[in-house]
Amino acid sequence: MCVAPGGQLLWQGSDHRVILADEPDFPGFCRVVWTGHVREMSDLPPADAVRLMATVLVVERVVRQQLAPDKINLASLGNVVPHLHWHVIPRWVDDSRFPDPVWAAPRRPAPPREIDRTALAAALRAALDGCAGSA
Amino acid sequence: MCVAPGGQLLWQGSDHRVILADEPDFPGFCRVVWTGHVREMSDLPPADAVRLMATVLVVERVVRQQLAPDKINLASLGNVVPHLHWHVIPRWVDDSRFPDPVWAAPRRPAPPREIDRTALAAALRAALDGCAGSA
């Protein structure tokens, strides 16, 4: 996560990036990854935390607009990889774990659900380029 | 969650509150609950989202200072209760689920760990009263 994109790079800012995670059960699962070696949100200077969170919320908005999920899940855990990153996860009531968190055991097979990665990436770039998060 | 505190009330602001969750396996587990009926962070006016997140990060800082956990987990899921709230969860490497998320199956019994609820509440109130999040 420190050096590799960790998925399909959707947007690269000066100090954080947005990737489309390689999670076949969860189409549209995005991660917002801080570039520097930081463990916790409260280790960031406050202005950086605000900018990172602004990007997380832009990703949430764009994912909702593009994919119309039933719910959004946001999380920053980092127990396995203690390098600051956010999960922005669109959830559908028929997905493999709903209403459990994505880290729970599956309740059912994941239904087929195709997303338009090109449109998602374009909408994200349009929303993030020039916004506060990219400074 | 809309009407009941949902745990020990640690701090009450004008439009959100902080509670100490009743989670015996996870001492110090706090929730930051938005008072209004809102599903997603991106449903809040941006200024409110910034204030709510400021409170979440104050709680993270105070929990780290008071309890010195090995890691902090932040999450806003709301699949079961789609009423906007944040989990701020101190994690220890010997807790019942580490390094899994708290929603996973237990790996081991929860070790005894006493926290000073009075000191935590006092530190939270001192940090939050008068800060941006309480406006």
Side-chain angles (χ1 to χ4, degrees), chain A residues 94-119:
Chain A
D94 64 352
D95 75 34
S96 60
R97 272 80 167 177
F98 200 90
D100 298 323
V102 299
W103 305 279
R107 290 173 175 248
R108 62 188 77 87
R113 179 169 280 118
E114 289 299 319
I115 68 164
D116 186 337
R117 291 165 170 245
T118 305

Side-chain angles (χ1 to χ4, degrees), chain B residues 15-16 25 27 30 46-47 61 109 127:
Chain B
D15 50 21
H16 59 287
D25 271 12
C30 295
R61 267 178 221 280

Side-chain angles (χ1 to χ4, degrees), chain B residues 21-84:
Chain B
D22 182 23
E23 298 280 355
D25 271 12
F26 295 100
F29 186 147
C30 295
R31 289 197 179 95
V32 184
V33 183
W34 190 256
T35 308
H37 295 283
V38 170
R39 286 173 63 88
E40 308 282 9
M41 280 294 278
S42 53
D43 290 331
L44 285 181
D48 287 345
V50 168
R51 283 192 307 111
L52 177 58
M53 209 62 211
T55 294
V56 170
L57 294 187
V58 166
V59 174
E60 174 179 314
R61 267 178 221 280
V62 169
V63 165
R64 291 179 72 187
Q65 288 162 357
Q66 292 288 314
L67 307 180
D70 297 312
K71 190 71 191 69
I72 290 284
N73 290 176
L74 301 178
S76 178
L77 307 179
N79 302 327
V80 178
V81 182
H83 181 123
L84 183 59

